[in-house]
Amino acid sequence: MEGCSEPQLDAKAKVTNQLIDFQWKLGMAVSSDSCRSLKYPYVAVILKVADPSGQVKNKSFEMTIPQFQNFYRQFKEIAAVIETV
């Protein structure tokens, strides 16, 4: 594409966190205080990351199935680009 270039990483760019581990599990919300029958599938994600000092922390969050599928597709695209480097 003319006039479009890929972003370049600065050799001096500082890495803020390093991904140590990635875990996920599929869950099903079946009820809540306000709703007797949810039947709502979700994906729970736990990321283990190390900050520049080496301190490791867990970051957790939940996503809907479509959000997780998009997240997964983006990681596959990243992996494909990395393989070309």
Side-chain angles (χ1 to χ4, degrees), residues 14-20 49-57:
K14 183 178 179 182
V15 175
T16 56
N17 289 314
Q18 180 181 5
L19 180 63
I20 304 295
V49 295
D51 66 18
S53 72
Q55 183 177 4
V56 177
K57 294 182 181 179

Side-chain angles (χ1 to χ4, degrees), residues 12-44:
K12 297 177 186 175
K14 183 178 179 182
V15 175
T16 56
N17 289 314
Q18 180 181 5
L19 180 63
I20 304 295
D21 192 26
F22 175 94
Q23 296 179 8
W24 64 274
K25 65 180 177 178
L26 184 62
M28 178 73 75
V30 293
S31 67
S32 73
D33 293 340
S34 61
C35 185
R36 288 186 187 184
S37 179
L38 289 176
K39 296 183 181 174
Y40 174 73
Y42 66 91
V43 177

